[in-house]
């Protein structure tokens, strides 16, 4: 497969650091002609004679034109990021110099790397499996502690190890079943069906665990959308400002102040929350703008991962209760917040609503108990799941492959229940192995790889 890939044999070059001005820039080359190309530009030493894992200071020259003073890091196949010969040129951080050096490398025979091509080569050379390679992109994109941790766990092979284990158990069994097929005339069973049943059960459990971790994985990677909903004047914009610790939204005692939705991001305990302040919702209004705003609020409420429903602690109890029932019926993930407790006093507010479960009492304006609210928000998202060290699926491609694998496992289970013959079982087992293998790249095709790596940045 590897050799059939177009351009696989080329030596590639790209800027590995962000484009623009900086203290230094790093240009990376990988491929069989790497040493020859850079050696042609580096007159002071014969790099072909230099050992791997060494650094060399000197000048790069192109036909007697001085390009820059640089430091070269030499890596030789197979002990490099890509598994090929690699040289990293650390030069001065000027876009002009970068262009000149990359141009000189191209003139000597290199070609510009495609996005993700270095990592793709690392994968094709067996330095990383596919799940690990994809995690490299996630690490670069991670912007919170939690997303970084999950990506790092995958890149270091945590997820792959889990899958490998599942796959190997299944392979061992499928070998026995396939053996039965060779002796099909004789009606023998090498594979102990009850042990197999147990194994399939365990596999199902593990697979489903991974599948359900995706919800959390998604949250870690993409953040949680939180709609702040309530009647006009409930204090929604005040709450947004308090949580952000800045005066982002206009606050006033005129009902209907917020007309459009306002979105801002905050990081609580390493998880990104996208807070959405909305227009207040009331039963009757003739104002066209306000009606449009309310429609938008309802839409945001439906789409949100979490709804913070805010009411004034002075509101009538039956009204609040009706609202709670409504939220419950819509099957929304919500937290009910009694605001403005400073107006009637915390003790009195708690007394008034003592028969309500899971209320959070706050004062957005006085910043009372907003820490409790933040904690609850995080709890709601994590739902008690331990994050540390456990394997969390964050990649939609992996998620879909796991779902397919789970389906096949179900089919196998049913097949065993119905005493299906070995050849039919073998089909379902192969399908399951196929999907598990797709995740780590043991099963792959060129289109799929191109698609995955095209989402990387150039130089990675
Ligand atoms: N006493 C007290 N007043 C508050 C509190 N929170 C908000 N307010 C006041 O309530 C009024 C309305 O606040 P906003 O934050 O604009 O309310 P809103 O829910 O965004 O209202 P709309 O945008 O009109 O839907 C303002 O006068 C706020 O100062 C609170 O916790 N305690
Ligand atoms: Mg408002």
């Amino acid at each position: 497969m590897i050799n059939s890939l177009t351009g696989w044999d080329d030596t590639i070059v790209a800027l590995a650091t962000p484009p623009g001005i900086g203290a230094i820039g790093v240009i990376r080359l990988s491929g069989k002609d790497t040493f020859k190309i850079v050696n042609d530009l580096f007159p002071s030493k014969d790099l072909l004679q230099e050992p791997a894992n060494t650094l060399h200071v000197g000048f790069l020259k192109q036909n007697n034109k001085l390009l820059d003073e640089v430091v070269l890091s030499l890596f030789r196949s197979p002990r490099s990021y890509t598994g090929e010969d690699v040289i990293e040129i650390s030069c001065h951080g000027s876009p002009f110099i970068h262009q000149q050096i990359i141009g000189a490398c191209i003139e000597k025979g290199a070609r510009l790397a495609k996005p993700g091509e270095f990592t793709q080569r690392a994968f094709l050379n067996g330095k990383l499996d596919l799940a690990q390679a994809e995690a490299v992109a996630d690490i670069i994109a991670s912007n919170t502690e939690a997303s970084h941790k999950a990506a790092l766990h995958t890149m270091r092979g945590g997820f792959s190890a889990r899958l490998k284990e599942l796959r190997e158990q299944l392979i061992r069994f499928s070998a026995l079943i396939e053996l039965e097929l060779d002796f099909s005339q004789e009606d023998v069973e090498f594979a102990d069906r009850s042990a197999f049943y147990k194994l399939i059960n365990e596999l199902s459990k593990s697979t489903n665990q991974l599948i359900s971790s995706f919800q959390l994985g998604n949250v870690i990677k993409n953040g949680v959308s939180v709609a702040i909903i309530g009647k006009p004047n409930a204090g929604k914009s005040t709450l947004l400002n308090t949580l952000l610790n800045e005066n982002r939204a206009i606050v006033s005692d005129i009902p209907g102040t917020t007309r459009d939705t306002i979105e801002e991001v905050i990081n609580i305990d390493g998880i990104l929350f996208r807070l959405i302040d909305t227009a207040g919702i009331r039963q009757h209004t003739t104002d066209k703008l306000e009606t449009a705003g309310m429609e938008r609020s309802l839409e945001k409420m439906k789409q949100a991962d979490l709804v913070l429903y805010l009411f004034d602690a002075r509101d009538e109890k039956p009204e609040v209760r009706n609202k709670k029932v409504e939220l419950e019926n819509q099957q929304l993930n919500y937290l009910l917040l009694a605001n403005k407790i400073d107006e009637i006093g915390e003790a009195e507010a708690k007394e008034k609503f003592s028969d309500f479960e899971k209320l959070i009492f706050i004062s957005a304006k006085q910043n009372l108990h907003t820490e409790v609210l933040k904690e609850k928000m995080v709890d709601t998202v994590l739902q008690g799941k331990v994050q540390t060290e456990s394997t969390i699926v964050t990649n939609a491609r992996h998620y879909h492959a796991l779902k397919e694998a789970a389906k096949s496992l179900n089919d196998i289970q049913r097949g065993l229940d119905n005493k299906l013959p070995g050849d039919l079982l073998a089909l379902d087992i192969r399908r399951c192995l196929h999907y598990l293998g797709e995740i780590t790249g043991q099963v792959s095709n060129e289109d799929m790889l191109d698609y995955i790596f095209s989402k990387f940045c150039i130089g990675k």
Side-chain angles (χ1 to χ4, degrees):
M1 174 188 80
I2 287 176
N3 289 323
S4 73
L5 288 175
T6 37
W8 165 253
D9 222 22
D10 301 344
T11 297
I12 50 174
V13 61
L15 183 67
T17 43
I21 295 173
I24 59 167
V26 175
I27 290 162
R28 176 153 60 176
L29 289 98
S30 178
K32 63 179 176 18
D33 294 331
T34 295
F35 276 69
K36 196 173 107 357
I37 290 169
V38 180
N39 200 37
D40 278 355
L41 301 169
F42 196 75
S44 57
K45 267 186 200 171
D46 182 6
L47 297 175
L48 303 179
Q49 306 303 322
E50 297 296 333
N53 310 324
T54 51
L55 299 176
H56 304 270
V57 189
F59 286 92
L60 282 188
K61 279 187 185 165
Q62 183 184 24
N63 315 321
N64 288 329
K65 186 173 81 175
L66 200 58
L67 295 175
D68 194 13
E69 186 175 24
V70 300
V71 178
L72 303 178
S73 319
L74 311 186
F75 306 88
R76 285 186 199 275
S77 169
R79 298 184 58 196
S80 71
Y81 178 67
T82 58
E84 304 174 327
D85 283 348
V86 167
I87 293 183
E88 287 178 4
I89 305 172
S90 304
C91 58
H92 289 101
S94 128
F96 175 73
I97 294 175
H98 302 157
Q99 256 176 28
Q100 297 273 302
I101 297 177
I102 290 171
C105 292
I106 289 172
E107 191 199 274
K108 295 289 178 196
R111 97 166 140 74
L112 212 53
K114 290 184 284 193
E117 199 171 1
F118 289 93
T119 308
Q120 185 169 13
R121 288 182 177 202
F123 162 67
L124 292 170
N125 286 320
K127 302 294 279 190
L128 300 165
D129 69 32
L130 201 51
Q132 288 175 304
E134 288 172 290
V136 171
D138 288 342
I139 284 196
I140 295 173
S142 65
N143 51 5
T144 64
E145 183 157 353
S147 60
H148 176 247
K149 203 189 255 173
L152 203 60
H153 182 76
T154 306
M155 193 197 69
R156 293 181 62 206
F159 181 40
S160 306
R162 238 349 250 288
L163 284 176
K164 203 166 145 224
E165 209 180 281
L166 298 181
R167 211 163 170 262
E168 269 166 13
Q169 290 174 6
L170 201 55
I171 286 176
R172 223 171 304 138
F173 216 90
S174 95
L176 288 176
I177 297 246
E178 307 259 350
L179 199 62
E180 280 174 16
L181 301 184
D182 294 341
F183 290 86
S184 54
Q185 308 302 337
E186 281 136 72
D187 196 22
V188 284
E189 275 193 6
F190 294 110
D192 174 358
R193 293 292 189 272
S194 68
F196 189 43
Y197 201 82
K198 225 174 107 205
L199 172 70
I200 294 298
N201 262 332
E202 277 168 32
L203 287 178
S204 279
K205 223 169 91 192
S206 301
T207 314
N208 286 325
Q209 254 169 23
L210 288 172
I211 289 172
S212 62
S213 78
F214 181 64
Q215 199 190 2
L216 176 61
N218 205 18
V219 155
I220 287 175
K221 196 165 158 180
N222 303 322
V224 189
S225 57
V226 182
I228 308 175
I229 305 283
K231 286 196 302 182
N233 259 355
K236 300 178 294 296
S237 302
T238 310
L239 179 63
L240 175 83
N241 290 345
T242 301
L243 289 174
L244 290 174
N245 205 9
E246 70 175 69
N247 280 329
R248 172 67 181 83
I250 298 173
V251 165
S252 85
D253 56 2
I254 307 165
T257 305
T258 307
R259 294 293 172 106
D260 207 347
T261 51
I262 300 175
E263 296 201 23
E264 286 292 333
V265 175
I266 55 166
N267 178 336
I268 309 175
D269 291 352
I271 294 171
L272 288 187
F273 288 88
R274 265 179 294 120
L275 300 178
I276 308 160
D277 179 23
T278 62
I281 297 170
R282 59 175 145 193
Q283 299 302 359
H284 305 289
T285 176
T286 47
D287 186 324
K288 259 197 196 159
L289 269 184
E290 197 179 342
T291 310
M294 275 166 50
E295 273 165 16
R296 196 166 280 196
S297 303
L298 290 170
E299 202 175 299
K300 289 285 175 191
M301 178 164 86
K302 269 189 245 145
Q303 292 165 353
D305 298 319
L306 175 63
V307 171
L308 300 184
Y309 191 88
L310 202 62
F311 65 91
D312 189 321
R314 291 168 298 186
D315 286 353
E316 298 297 327
K317 262 173 77 171
E319 186 191 341
V320 178
R321 192 176 299 283
N322 284 344
K323 200 67 223 178
K324 188 167 164 32
V325 171
E326 214 176 284
L327 291 165
E328 213 70 69
N329 286 343
Q330 286 178 285
Q331 299 192 326
L332 292 167
N333 188 13
Y334 71 91
L335 292 172
L336 202 52
L337 317 181
N339 189 32
K340 307 196 187 183
I341 56 169
D342 54 304
E343 290 283 354
I344 59 170
E346 184 173 344
E348 199 174 314
K350 283 187 170 158
E351 174 62 37
K352 178 175 171 188
F353 293 102
S354 59
D355 50 339
F356 277 68
E357 277 172 37
K358 291 191 297 185
L359 267 191
I360 304 171
F361 295 88
I362 62 165
S363 164
K365 192 171 172 182
Q366 312 272 348
N367 198 2
L368 273 180
H369 303 319
T370 48
E371 287 308 314
V372 177
L373 170 61
K374 285 186 191 172
E375 253 169 56
K376 279 272 160 46
M377 285 165 69
V378 172
D379 280 357
T380 314
V381 170
L382 298 183
Q383 283 166 356
K385 284 180 200 117
V386 235
Q387 260 180 280
T388 42
E389 301 316 316
S390 59
T391 303
I392 297 166
V393 178
T394 57
N395 182 305
R397 191 182 72 79
H398 303 169
Y399 171 73
H400 290 296
L402 283 167
K403 289 272 263 202
E404 291 298 334
K407 244 192 254 164
S408 313
L409 284 169
N410 251 337
D411 290 344
I412 299 172
Q413 235 159 3
R414 234 176 324 139
L416 285 170
D417 285 341
N418 297 330
K419 307 230 172 329
L420 224 56
D423 50 347
L424 293 177
L425 278 180
L427 276 179
D428 289 331
I429 296 174
R430 265 181 240 147
R431 196 150 39 87
C432 185
L433 286 172
H434 171 90
Y435 285 115
L436 291 176
E438 257 195 356
I439 299 175
T440 49
Q442 281 150 308
V443 181
S444 64
N445 64 55
E446 197 174 339
D447 287 345
M448 177 176 126
L449 294 181
D450 280 350
Y451 174 72
I452 290 170
F453 287 102
S454 66
K455 290 188 292 188
F456 277 62
C457 46
I458 290 182
K460 191 65 227 179

